[in-house]
Amino acid sequence: MLQTYSYQDLSAGEIAKLISRNADEDQTIGQRVEGIIAEVRSRGDEALKALAEKFDGVKLDKLFIEKAEIAQIASGIGAEQKSAIDLAYGNITAFHAAQKHQEAPVNTMPGVTCWREPRAIERVGLYIPGGSAVLPSTFLMLGIPARIAGCKEIVVCSPPQKDGLINCYLAYVAMLLDIERVYLAGGAQAVAAMAYGTDSIPRTDKIFGPGNQYVTRAKTLIQSTTQTAIDMPAGPSEVLIIADEGANPEFVAADLLAQAEHGADSQAILVSSSSALIGETIAALERQLAALPRVEIAAKAMANSYAVLTADLEKAMEFSNQYAPEHLILATANWKELIPSISNAGSVFLGHLTPESAGDYASGTNHTLPTSAYARSYSGVSLDSFIKKITFQHISPEGVHQIGRAVEVLAELEGLQAHKNAMSLRISSVNS
């Protein structure tokens, strides 16, 4: 069920191979995505309709649903589901609203004042995955900070359902976020449409949202060939659980499977200082897996997963930092002691009673996170993801006296006479 490795017996090369994931070694995915992007660029809406028929099995007459129809679809939501979404909406809003603040100006020296001010990215594109699972939670995670940031236009793309529409949960979230239209496009083609624009779908300044390897590849390609930015490479989901002998194997197994059921290319890693805990977790996995509705998907992901036995939690943390997981669970009563050792992780879940699924849905933190070891250099989505910070500076006459000569000297040593002149003229002006 879960192949187990001894950390102390692994060479550096073996560890590097073990932590590698979602590699497109033969460039098959890259070539297919390049073809999809080229088709959308050249044929626009017609390509999107053809690709929806090919990949989603839906023949579309139009590529969007407008506000009135969204409201009609949303009316089908049940009271309990509505209440759960409302709770998540409130918690996610509270967490992201707290990130909004204005930095104080800094007087770097007398007469020289510098500061930064945030400005919302004007038009953002949100990709909400569909396929085998529809994710209203992702809609909340992306739409809420976009609204708080003040983005003027929010373009939402999500794959059409078999009836050519969206489901009532996405529709209800669209109403909460006051979204005018939802565009019926999925996969790499949705990313291409938001990067280049079509007759129906506007070009956006930045694209957000997780997806499979095709979506992730499309995002990285468009970032290098257009003026459209991306949030991060956020591909197939993953979790790494550090567990000691005090962990509950049933909890650990459930957390591993929670990631595995996302998709066949997901990965769930157990790192433990207890061989007994690993054995008990494997037994629990076999019991719990058999009862899952998405058993086939989860089983494929678990076949791509493994366990690592370490001498202690310090070594477990060492392996985790090399893996750089999207989600890190510390299934130990001693989690406070491990926090300072965490250097690479997207989001961290502490203790025995904090499942990763709480962060996926309703605790308030964002679940759009870096995968495939990108947690070494990327943060998850936050309010900052939807804004730019512009620097300002003002120099008074006193400031010219204070800073002027230093600017002249630095310009001279770089051989840039016009730079020097720009300051020299001002020195003369305030001295006259």
Side-chain angles (χ1 to χ4, degrees), residues 134-389:
V134 179
L135 304 176
S137 57
T138 297
F139 202 170
L140 291 170
M141 296 292 177
L142 299 178
I144 289 172
R147 280 291 180 223
I148 294 171
C151 299
K152 290 181 180 178
E153 187 172 355
I154 300 175
V155 177
V156 179
C157 285
S158 190
Q161 302 295 287
K162 294 301 181 184
D163 59 2
L165 302 172
I166 57 173
N167 69 25
C168 62
Y169 310 117
L170 288 185
Y172 181 66
V173 173
M175 289 186 62
L176 287 176
L177 296 170
D178 195 28
I179 299 297
E180 294 292 332
R181 285 182 173 182
V182 174
Y183 295 95
L184 302 170
Q189 59 269 29
V191 174
M194 290 188 285
Y196 294 100
T198 72
D199 288 342
S200 294
I201 301 177
R203 188 196 69 78
T204 62
D205 299 312
K206 189 173 182 179
I207 296 173
F208 296 79
N212 59 21
Q213 292 186 63
Y214 288 85
V215 170
T216 303
R217 182 62 174 160
K219 286 169 69 178
T220 55
L221 280 172
I222 64 96
Q223 182 173 233
S224 63
T225 57
T226 72
Q227 293 179 322
T228 299
I230 66 169
D231 51 355
M232 74 193 84
S237 195
E238 60 197 35
V239 68
L240 186 147
I241 303 174
I242 292 178
D244 61 13
E245 66 279 356
N248 184 323
E250 297 292 334
F251 290 179
V252 174
D255 289 335
L256 291 168
L257 291 172
Q259 284 305 302
E261 72 175 353
H262 269 297
D265 51 2
S266 295
Q267 196 169 56
I269 309 302
L270 172 59
V271 184
S272 180
S273 55
S274 168
S275 58
L277 185 279
I278 292 175
E280 291 168 2
T281 299
I282 290 173
L285 279 170
E286 292 174 347
R287 290 193 300 272
Q288 292 185 28
L289 178 63
L292 291 179
R294 294 167 65 88
V295 57
E296 291 184 9
I297 291 173
K300 288 178 182 177
M302 291 310 301
N304 188 41
S305 303
Y306 55 86
V308 177
L309 177 64
T310 62
D312 50 40
L313 293 184
E314 182 179 349
K315 291 295 183 182
M317 197 69 253
E318 183 179 287
F319 179 84
S320 176
N321 283 326
Q322 292 178 80
Y323 185 89
E326 176 191 17
H327 305 101
L328 171 61
I329 298 176
L330 302 184
T332 170
N334 300 318
W335 53 265
K336 286 184 181 179
E337 298 172 13
L338 294 180
I339 288 178
S341 301
I342 301 170
S343 57
N344 299 320
S347 191
V348 185
F349 303 81
L350 305 169
H352 300 302
L353 299 179
T354 314
E356 182 274 325
S357 51
D360 260 0
Y361 294 118
S363 66
T365 61
N366 207 289
H367 80 197
T368 307
L369 303 164
T371 65
S372 302
Y374 281 107
R376 295 171 187 161
S377 52
Y378 282 86
S379 304
V381 163
S382 68
L383 188 65
D384 283 347
S385 305
F386 292 88
I387 62 176
K388 307 155 294 184
K389 292 188 176 179

